[in-house]
Amino acid sequence: MRKLENSELERKSIQDFKTAAKTPLILILDDIRSLNNIGSVFRTADAFLIEKIYLCGITATPPNKEIHKTALGATETVDWEHFDNVITVIQNLKNEGVKVYAIEQVELAIFLQDFTVNANEKYALIFGNEVFGVNQKAIEICDGTIEIPQLGTKHSLNIAVSAGIVVWDLFKKMRF
């Protein structure tokens, strides 16, 4: 077994990424404080050809040196847009027929392993503030909530980790 060289990874150019067929998945980051978390989510979105990221509320936007540290250029490939209010984004997406789900621990949440995707649907996932989670008003107008099962004592994951877990799971269900 041999570790692959960077030249063997068949990386897309920025232009190839822009024109590639995207995974029908949109990420919404609401009131995310950590610039490293934002950059990490961009990098995950790039890895899985995510359609777009909405940055809402206090979530910082590129260009930003601290975001770039973890995004490693993914802010140049993944489409993004900033909105002051997450509710506006949710309503706009729902009007376009996108199914919007909050990633949060709430009553009647669907555990991630039980969540099924429909082939003809586009989905948006909301990830909320590192301390307070997804805004309750946002949860109330979502199509549902998805919870990552956790068995330890903390029942709390970093937002970038949560995004990686959920995006990979939905990508797998959509593509394979």
Side-chain angles (χ1 to χ4, degrees):
M1 194 174 333
R2 175 183 65 80
K3 184 176 173 181
L4 295 175
E5 300 290 329
N6 282 344
S7 61
E8 297 176 278
L9 296 178
E10 300 180 23
R11 292 184 176 168
K12 291 182 179 348
S13 68
I14 291 173
Q15 185 57 37
D16 289 341
F17 184 96
K18 293 287 189 186
T19 59
K22 300 295 185 288
T23 304
L25 197 52
I26 295 165
L27 305 181
I28 303 167
L29 305 184
D30 188 35
D31 287 338
I32 304 302
R33 298 175 309 166
S34 166
L35 302 174
N36 290 327
N37 281 337
I38 298 164
S40 294
V41 172
F42 265 96
R43 202 153 135 201
T44 297
D46 177 276
F48 297 106
L49 286 170
I50 299 306
E51 188 173 303
K52 188 170 188 172
I53 299 176
Y54 285 97
L55 307 169
C56 301
I58 66 166
T59 307
T61 62
N64 182 297
K65 183 175 78 169
E66 292 300 311
I67 292 173
H68 182 73
K69 277 185 189 179
T70 51
L72 295 178
T75 56
E76 304 300 316
T77 55
V78 179
D79 287 340
W80 63 271
E81 193 172 350
H82 181 269
F83 276 77
D84 289 331
N85 190 331
V86 70
I87 301 299
T88 302
V89 173
I90 296 168
Q91 290 170 333
N92 290 347
L93 290 171
K94 288 181 75 167
N95 288 340
E96 294 172 14
V98 177
K99 298 293 182 190
V100 181
Y101 286 83
I103 308 305
E104 189 57 89
Q105 297 164 325
V106 301
E107 296 172 329
L108 305 176
I110 302 167
F111 282 116
L112 181 59
Q113 72 271 18
D114 299 326
F115 185 77
T116 57
V117 296
N118 295 318
N120 298 321
E121 300 270 36
K122 186 183 294 187
Y123 296 89
L125 307 172
I126 304 173
F127 297 90
N129 179 273
E130 291 91 341
V131 174
F132 303 109
V134 178
N135 177 311
Q136 181 63 42
K137 290 180 182 171
I139 290 169
E140 290 169 4
I141 63 170
C142 284
D143 293 298
T145 55
I146 300 170
E147 181 177 342
I148 301 168
Q150 297 170 59
L151 306 177
T153 61
K154 300 304 176 207
H155 288 255
S156 172
L157 293 169
N158 176 285
I159 191 260
V161 172
S162 295
I165 291 168
V166 177
V167 167
W168 165 244
D169 187 77
L170 268 63
F171 175 83
K172 205 171 41 166
K173 290 171 179 174
M174 291 174 168
R175 295 273 181 132
F176 301 110

